[in-house]
Amino acid sequence: MDTHKFFRMQEIAKFFYSILSITPLSFTLSNNALAVDWYIRPYLSMSEIFSDNLKLTDVNKEAGFVTDISPGISINGISPWSNSNINYRLQELYNAGGNDSFSTKHQLQMDSLFQPVRNTFFIKTSSAITQQNLNSSLISTDNISGGGNRSDVKNFTIAPYLTPHFGQYATGLFKIEYSKTTFDNNNTLNIPNIVSDTESFSKQFGLSSGSKFSHLRWNLNYSSNDQYRASGNDVLFEKYNANLRYFLSRKFNLFALGGYENNQFQSLSDISNGAFYTIGGQWSPSLWYSVEAGYGNNKHITLRFNPTDNLTSSVTYQHREIGLNTGSSWDIFLNYRMQNANLMLKYFQDTLSIQQLVINQISSSFSESGSVDNDTTGDVFTIFNNSAVLVDDVVVRKRADISWLYQSGKSSYSATLYNERRQYESLGQQDDVYGVSGFWRWQFLPRINLYFRPNWQIVDNTLTSNNRYDLSFGLNRSFPINLGRPLLMNTKIEFRHINQNSSSTLTNDYIENRATANFAVRF
C-alpha cells in the first residue's frame, strides 16, 4: 500500500476513535442549569467504488477504484427555549476523478432556533457546506467521477425576529436576516467566477389584525431582499402591501389590497415597478369550496376545491401588470391521499436569483450511509446556462411536476414527471427541462431490501441539448448488533449505469458503469 495513503488512513482512524473515546454512544447529556438534552451520535461510512470512466469522457477513458472513508457526527440539542441540529461529515477520497491522490470534502447541515424571550423574540441560524455542479455543460453528479466540475458551496444565515402581541388588537412580525453564500469554483474551463459570492440582507415587517376585529380583517407588510455580489450586478426585491377584508356574512366577504413594488436587477426587458391594486370578493358556501376573484392592474381568480379529507386542491389564475411574474400565470396544487398511495400535482411560477436557486438546492441533506450524491431531480444539471460567461442572473422559472407514491406490503413505489422552463433575464437564454424518475424498493426478506431507480432527463436551450439516462439498482442489508452498546450496521451493493448524449462541443458524450460496495455503522 502507498505509504502516504496508509498514514492518511491512520489519521482518519485516530480522528474517529477520538470521537468514540470521549462520546458515549446514543446518549443523553442533560445540563441542569440550562436544561438542555444533548443527543450525540457518531457514524461511519466506508465505500470502495469501481468506475470504468472516472473522468466522464468519451475519449481516453480511465477505469479505476475510488476509496471513500467518511466519518461523521450528528448532534441534537433540545430544551424548552431552544433546539439545535448539526450533522457534519468528513469525506476522505482517494483517486476521485482518476487523479491518483487524496481529496477531502466537508459536508455540513446545521440549523438552530433560540428564544431569548419566550414566544416573543427568536434567533434562527442555519449553515450548510456541500459540493454542487455549477456548469451544466460539464456534468458531474457527485464527488467520485469527473470531480473537476464541482464547487464547494457554503452558506450561513442568521435571522433574529420578534412576534409581539398588542393585546387583542394586533400581532406583529419584525424580522431581519443576513445570509452569506460563497462558491469555491473548480472547473475545467478555469473560469474563476461561474457564480459570485453573495451577501444578502432581508427585512420583513408586518402587522395583522387581532381578535378584537370580528368582521374586519387587515394586515400591513413590508419585505425586501438586497443581494450584494462580489462580481456582477446587485439585486433588489422590495415590496410594500396592505390588505383589507370585510366579512358581510360567514359565506361572503369583500377585500381590497394594494401596494408598491420596487425591484432592481439586470434584465433585457423592462421591469414593471410601481403601485398595484386589486379589489374583489370571496364566496365560501362551505368549508370545502370557495371562489375568490379580484380586479385591478393585478387581477386574479382562485378556486379552492376540497370535497373530502383526502383531497386538497386549489387553482389560481393571475394577470399582473406590476411586480414580478407579470403577464398571465397559473398556480396549481392538488394532493390526493388514498389508503396506500398519494398523488400530488404542482405548477408554479416564480422569480429568483441564481444564488437563491442554489441555496434552495443545498437544503437537501446528505445521508449517514453511502456516498454523497447531489443528483436531485430536475435541478442539478440545469442551474446555469451553457455559455462560458459569468452567469450571475435572475431567473423566471415555470415548473410543473406530478408525483405518485404507493406502498403495498413489502414493496414501495414512487414516480415523478416534471417539466421546468427557465428564462435568464440578462442573458435572454431559455432552458427547457423534461424528466421522469422512478423508484422501487422490495423488502423480500427481513432487513434485506432490493431497490431499482431509473432516471431520464433532457435539457434543451439555445446552445445545446443534453440527454441523460441513469439507471441504478442495488441490495441493502441492515442488522443490529450489541457490543456493549447498541449499534446499527448497514451494507449496500450497488450497480449504476449513466449514458449522456449532448449536441454541445463543450460537453463530452460519455457512458459510465459503476459498482459500489458500502459499509456503514451508526452508533
Side-chain angles (χ1 to χ4, degrees), residues 239-253:
K239 184 177 182 179
Y240 305 80
N241 70 286
N243 191 347
L244 187 68
R245 190 176 294 267
Y246 183 75
F247 288 81
L248 298 173
S249 66
R250 184 183 63 83
K251 296 183 178 181
F252 190 75
N253 64 80

Side-chain angles (χ1 to χ4, degrees), residues 275-461:
F276 63 89
Y277 70 94
T278 307
I279 300 173
Q282 182 187 68
W283 178 52
S284 303
S286 74
L287 296 175
W288 312 110
Y289 314 91
S290 69
V291 179
E292 178 176 296
Y295 182 81
N297 55 5
N298 287 356
K299 54 182 69 73
H300 71 268
I301 181 168
T302 298
L303 171 65
R304 184 176 60 89
F305 179 67
N306 306 323
T308 69
D309 291 335
N310 294 331
L311 177 60
T312 303
S313 65
S314 64
V315 178
T316 298
Y317 169 77
Q318 303 177 82
H319 186 86
R320 297 178 180 175
E321 298 178 10
I322 301 297
L324 302 173
N325 306 311
T326 54
S328 299
S329 64
W330 293 84
D331 287 289
I332 302 172
F333 175 79
L334 183 146
N335 187 45
Y336 181 51
R337 298 183 300 272
M338 293 162 274
Q339 183 175 358
N340 297 318
N342 190 81
L343 178 67
M344 182 177 292
L345 170 67
K346 292 185 294 183
Y347 177 84
F348 65 88
Q349 177 176 328
D350 61 5
T351 300
L352 70 171
S353 69
I354 290 291
Q355 285 81 355
Q356 289 173 305
L357 197 59
V358 175
I359 293 171
N360 292 342
Q361 178 170 305
I362 67 176
S363 62
S364 58
S365 63
F366 51 90
S367 65
E368 297 178 4
S369 63
S371 299
V372 174
D373 189 353
N374 296 313
D375 187 358
T376 53
T377 300
D379 284 331
V380 133
F381 309 114
T382 57
I383 289 181
F384 305 107
N385 69 313
N386 291 295
S387 58
V389 297
L390 297 180
V391 287
D392 284 331
D393 212 334
V394 170
V395 180
V396 178
R397 64 171 182 165
K398 302 177 181 179
R399 182 178 178 94
D401 62 67
I402 181 169
S403 60
W404 175 72
L405 302 173
Y406 181 73
Q407 180 74 41
S408 175
K410 297 181 179 181
S411 294
S412 59
Y413 309 85
S414 66
T416 301
L417 178 68
Y418 58 90
N419 172 230
E420 183 164 321
R421 298 182 179 182
R422 292 174 177 165
Q423 172 72 42
Y424 296 83
E425 288 293 274
S426 65
L427 297 174
Q429 181 179 310
Q430 294 184 354
D431 284 340
D432 200 355
V433 186
Y434 297 90
V436 60
S437 63
F439 184 74
W440 170 52
R441 183 187 298 275
W442 176 36
Q443 186 179 0
F444 62 94
L445 288 174
R447 300 188 179 277
I448 301 180
N449 295 282
L450 177 70
Y451 66 88
F452 177 74
R453 182 188 294 113
N455 294 284
W456 172 81
Q457 180 174 271
I458 185 168
V459 183
D460 283 322
N461 56 42

Side-chain angles (χ1 to χ4, degrees), residues 190-249:
N190 295 318
I191 305 171
N193 290 304
I194 289 183
V195 61
S196 296
D197 295 348
T198 301
E199 291 185 279
S200 298
F201 296 90
S202 298
K203 298 182 287 291
Q204 185 178 355
F205 307 134
L207 283 175
S208 299
S209 56
S211 58
K212 194 74 172 178
F213 299 89
S214 56
H215 294 284
L216 182 67
R217 309 273 178 84
W218 56 267
N219 61 68
L220 305 171
N221 295 286
Y222 168 79
S223 64
S224 70
N225 179 247
D226 289 272
Q227 301 174 32
Y228 301 99
R229 294 167 170 172
S231 61
N233 294 281
D234 297 336
V235 174
L236 169 65
F237 299 126
E238 186 176 41
K239 184 177 182 179
Y240 305 80
N241 70 286
N243 191 347
L244 187 68
R245 190 176 294 267
Y246 183 75
F247 288 81
L248 298 173
S249 66

Side-chain angles (χ1 to χ4, degrees), residues 238-273:
E238 186 176 41
K239 184 177 182 179
Y240 305 80
N241 70 286
N243 191 347
L244 187 68
R245 190 176 294 267
Y246 183 75
F247 288 81
L248 298 173
S249 66
R250 184 183 63 83
K251 296 183 178 181
F252 190 75
N253 64 80
L254 300 174
F255 70 89
L257 63 91
Y260 184 85
E261 289 212 31
N262 177 34
N263 304 301
Q264 304 292 334
F265 52 87
Q266 188 177 16
S267 176
L268 296 177
S269 57
D270 294 333
I271 302 175
S272 299
N273 292 324

Side-chain angles (χ1 to χ4, degrees), residues 27 37 63 65 78 82 84 118 125 154 169 191 194 203 218 299 324 328 335 360 367 379 457 490 496-497 517:
F27 81 104
D37 292 328
F65 287 90
I78 302 174
S82 68
S84 301
R118 190 72 179 272
T125 63
K154 304 171 185 176
Y169 293 93
I191 305 171
I194 289 183
K203 298 182 287 291
W218 56 267
K299 54 182 69 73
L324 302 173
S328 299
N335 187 45
N360 292 342
S367 65
D379 284 331
Q457 180 174 271
N490 186 73
R496 184 175 181 183
H497 172 80

Side-chain angles (χ1 to χ4, degrees), residues 44 46 368-369 447 476-483 485-492 518-523:
L44 174 66
M46 296 184 294
E368 297 178 4
S369 63
R447 300 188 179 277
N476 277 334
R477 171 70 165 97
S478 62
F479 47 93
I481 64 173
N482 195 324
L483 300 177
R485 300 183 179 119
L487 307 179
L488 180 62
M489 294 187 177
N490 186 73
T491 58
K492 180 176 73 173
N518 172 259
F519 168 80
V521 57
R522 187 179 65 199
F523 300 93

